[in-house]
Amino acid sequence: TRGVWQLHKLTVRYCEKSGSSRHVLNYLRQHLVPFADSNPQLLVEAKVKAGRHPVLIGEYINGNTRVVDIKNKPVEDICKHVQLLRNSSGAKVKRRKKPVVTEIPSVQGQWSETLEFPESTIRHIY
């Protein structure tokens, strides 16, 4: 990604009268404007969709879209989901069926829990 934000547009879709949107309304009042101000690279919009449960829709530069259901979620969880959408690349998650095995050992050597370091190279920072 080379320092380019991958999330292009974030849409918060909610219903004004639905009970499942009550926390989303609080999020919109308290957190959405500061989030939009701190992320000028991002187009943030809120849409009212009557009779629907609230969702977050993230549209990425590569054309992918992620939809996150935020029905009856507290404000803290909504903030976490918004941050997750902003920080993710939008690429599809690929499942690996087999573990990665290599014939060539690492140049740095194999790591183990009992690996000992010389005391002179370790600096403790508190």
Side-chain angles (χ1 to χ4, degrees), residues 17-23 72:
K17 298 179 182 179
S18 173
S20 63
S21 296
R22 65 184 177 278
H23 297 299
N72 295 322

Side-chain angles (χ1 to χ4, degrees), residues 16-57:
E16 291 180 330
K17 298 179 182 179
S18 173
S20 63
S21 296
R22 65 184 177 278
H23 297 299
V24 176
L25 294 172
N26 291 335
Y27 175 79
L28 293 174
R29 290 187 198 111
Q30 298 171 2
H31 299 282
L32 189 65
V33 173
F35 176 78
D37 290 341
S38 65
N39 294 287
Q41 79 283 358
L42 186 60
L43 175 63
V44 179
E45 65 181 17
K47 287 186 177 180
V48 177
K49 190 80 169 181
R52 298 284 182 176
H53 290 300
V55 292
L56 293 172
I57 304 169

Side-chain angles (χ1 to χ4, degrees), residues 4-125:
V4 177
W5 291 102
Q6 297 298 302
L7 184 64
H8 171 68
K9 181 178 176 182
L10 178 71
T11 305
V12 182
R13 195 175 71 196
Y14 66 98
C15 175
E16 291 180 330
K17 298 179 182 179
S18 173
S20 63
S21 296
R22 65 184 177 278
H23 297 299
V24 176
L25 294 172
N26 291 335
Y27 175 79
L28 293 174
R29 290 187 198 111
Q30 298 171 2
H31 299 282
L32 189 65
V33 173
F35 176 78
D37 290 341
S38 65
N39 294 287
Q41 79 283 358
L42 186 60
L43 175 63
V44 179
E45 65 181 17
K47 287 186 177 180
V48 177
K49 190 80 169 181
R52 298 284 182 176
H53 290 300
V55 292
L56 293 172
I57 304 169
E59 297 177 20
Y60 293 89
I61 292 174
N62 60 6
N64 289 341
T65 302
R66 286 194 180 171
V67 179
V68 178
D69 180 33
I70 50 174
K71 173 179 63 171
N72 295 322
K73 302 265 186 191
V75 175
E76 297 81 22
D77 287 352
I78 297 171
C79 290
K80 288 179 187 175
H81 285 298
V82 168
Q83 291 295 330
L84 179 70
L85 286 174
R86 187 198 66 172
N87 294 337
S88 63
S89 69
K92 299 284 184 185
V93 177
K94 295 180 182 177
R95 182 177 174 202
R96 301 203 182 264
K97 295 183 180 180
K98 296 180 182 177
V100 178
V101 179
T102 180
E103 297 291 325
I104 303 169
S106 171
V107 175
Q108 298 173 344
Q110 181 126 4
W111 182 86
S112 69
E113 294 178 6
T114 60
L115 192 62
E116 294 182 15
F117 295 101
E119 285 296 324
S120 61
T121 61
I122 298 177
R123 286 185 278 172
H124 296 285
I125 300 173

